[in-house]
């Protein structure tokens, strides 16, 4: 009976890890650079499959609540759009992306600064560490359960 419960736990861990890891890997929106002066340009990128349709980037912040539509394939995969920040108020803006199939691609932020004050930045990305940690923990638990099951069976065969 104990072997069955270990096997069941291992199977559950593998199943949940399989569900969480791809979602974390696919749900990613980036904004580059992370800081731009008023009148600068930021590139919004979502890991949407271009075959599923366009991506809608919703930009919200101190003086914005607008949608930016993209059907442009990004160089590294996904879809991207350029956003010109002329007329934006100084502050931090959030970009949430939705793929053409209705799935979310996460969110990211960027900051608009006064002209001449923006350092070059690599861009902000969605924080998926929680998904990756949960998925990794589940996969680790499943592997440990499988290893214990194999050892128990080997010990039983030699007894």
């Amino acid at each position: 009976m104990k072997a069955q419960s270990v096997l069941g736990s291992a199977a559950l861990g593998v199943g949940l890890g399989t569900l969480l890891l791809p979602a974390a890997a696919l749900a990613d929106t980036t904004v580059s650079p992370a800081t731009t002066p008023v009148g600068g340009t930021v590139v919004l990128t979502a890991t949407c499959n271009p075959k599923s349709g366009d991506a809608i980037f919703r930009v919200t912040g101190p003086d914005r609540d607008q949608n930016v539509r993209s059907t442009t394939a990004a160089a590294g995969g996904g879809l991207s759009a350029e956003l010109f920040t002329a007329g934006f108020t100084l502050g931090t803006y959030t970009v949430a992306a939705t793929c053409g199939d209705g799935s979310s691609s996460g969110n990211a932020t960027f900051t608009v600064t006064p002209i001449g004050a923006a350092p070059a930045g690599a861009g902000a990305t969605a924080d998926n560490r929680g998904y990756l940690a949960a998925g990794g923990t589940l996969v680790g638990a499943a592997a440990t359960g499988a290893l214990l099951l194999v050892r128990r069976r080997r010990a039983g065969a030699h007894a």
Side-chain angles (χ1 to χ4, degrees), residues 1 5 12-13 15 17-18 22 25 27 43 51 53 58-59 65 73 90 97-98 104 122 139 145 152 157:
M1 185 67 176
S5 68
L12 180 64
T18 301
V43 177
K51 292 180 182 179
R58 183 168 183 184
V59 180
D65 187 355
L90 303 181
T98 303
S104 172
V139 169
R152 183 173 296 249

Side-chain angles (χ1 to χ4, degrees), residues 1-9 149 152:
M1 185 67 176
K2 288 183 181 182
Q4 288 178 336
S5 68
V6 170
L7 185 57
S9 296
L149 180 64
R152 183 173 296 249

Side-chain angles (χ1 to χ4, degrees), residues 4 7 15-16 18 26 28 39 46 56 61 73 80 88 93 100 112 121 127 138 144 158:
Q4 288 178 336
L7 185 57
L16 290 174
T18 301
L26 294 176
D28 193 25
I56 302 294
S80 68
F88 277 52
Y93 293 81
V112 176
D127 186 9
L138 291 170
T144 301
H158 294 299

